Amino acid sequence: MKKRVSLLLALGLIAALVLGGCGKKDDSASLVGEWQATLEMADTLNESLASDPTMADYINIDSFAMKMDLSLRDDGTFTLALNEASVTEAFEGIKAPLKDGITAYMEASLEGTGMSVEDALAASGMDIDSMMDSMLSPEMITASLGDATESGSFVAKDGKLYFLDEGETKPGDDSAAMPYTLSGSKLTLDKPSSGDVGDLAEFFPMEFAKK
């Protein structure tokens, strides 16, 4: 009987060690691939416009969606970047509502002056279309991308995704890790416990689809 108990205890200890090791294994390989998330930023843009309460009465953006590409490679490196084509498309998509809203705003502002929107813009050497082109120029779109690309190394471990700084070879403080779930072709990232994700905080949990 004692031998049987000892054997069971030994098997239990081995199982605990094996399962404990499995729980801590590097899961990076399971995430390798090209992923893409869509960030709907209309609310953020409308909040920005609302800084001028009068302007907010005339302009409301229904959609301002940009895509974010995440490349997780089998050599342990990653690239996270805004998709430039989607940025251009997003800006093109808001031209019409901005044009209509700005025109209505100017019409209200000029009421009683006897001056039309066309007259007011002509005095500045513009019309509504050239004004929109200057507001949403290719240079502005490029500038909006800024430093919108991050790259480095990554490790997926214990259900957490770590993006490592240059020179790092292993995960450090768990507060910077993003908890993740992988379900088929969908990768969901939650913000790290530190919450240090800048302007992206409002977009978590962030869902990536495999491309």
Side-chain angles (χ1 to χ4, degrees):
M1 183 66 176
K2 287 183 179 179
K3 287 184 178 180
R4 178 176 175 78
V5 172
S6 297
L7 178 59
L8 290 174
L9 288 174
L11 289 174
L13 178 59
I14 291 171
L17 290 172
V18 171
L19 292 175
C22 289
K24 296 180 179 180
K25 72 179 186 299
D26 187 330
D27 295 317
S28 304
S30 65
L31 303 186
V32 168
E34 302 296 322
W35 304 86
Q36 188 173 79
T38 299
L39 308 181
E40 178 51 74
M41 305 179 72
D43 288 345
T44 302
L45 184 56
N46 286 323
E47 286 175 11
S48 176
L49 293 170
S51 60
D52 180 340
T54 306
M55 184 71 77
D57 290 339
Y58 294 94
I59 301 176
N60 185 74
I61 304 301
D62 292 327
S63 180
F64 190 57
M66 297 185 185
K67 297 184 185 299
M68 180 172 285
D69 294 327
L70 173 62
S71 177
L72 300 174
R73 295 179 282 272
D74 55 13
D75 64 355
T77 61
F78 80 91
T79 300
L80 181 65
L82 280 175
N83 182 287
E84 292 191 25
S86 75
V87 173
T88 300
E89 184 177 348
F91 274 92
E92 286 294 325
I94 65 172
K95 277 187 175 181
L98 275 179
K99 178 180 177 178
D100 292 343
I102 290 172
T103 299
Y105 171 72
M106 292 185 69
E107 286 174 345
S109 300
L110 293 169
E111 189 174 354
T113 66
M115 183 180 291
S116 67
V117 172
E118 291 76 12
D119 292 338
L121 290 173
S124 300
M126 294 189 296
D127 58 24
I128 189 64
D129 290 319
S130 60
M131 180 182 176
M132 295 306 304
D133 288 341
S134 66
M135 289 177 62
L136 299 176
S137 66
E139 292 76 18
M140 178 185 175
I141 295 173
T142 300
S144 72
L145 290 169
D147 298 323
T149 300
E150 297 288 341
S151 60
S153 301
F154 79 96
V155 173
K157 190 175 183 181
D158 298 336
K160 296 177 181 178
L161 180 60
Y162 300 80
F163 291 121
L164 308 182
D165 292 332
E166 187 174 353
E168 288 185 331
T169 57
K170 60 182 180 180
D173 186 356
D174 273 2
S175 67
M178 293 184 187
Y180 75 88
T181 55
L182 179 63
S183 178
S185 59
K186 185 173 77 172
L187 172 64
T188 303
L189 301 182
D190 284 320
K191 66 181 177 182
S193 58
S194 68
D196 186 18
V197 288
D199 294 336
L200 291 175
E202 65 182 283
F203 299 107
F204 284 89
M206 191 180 294
E207 293 188 356
F208 287 84
K210 202 159 193 177
K211 296 167 64 178

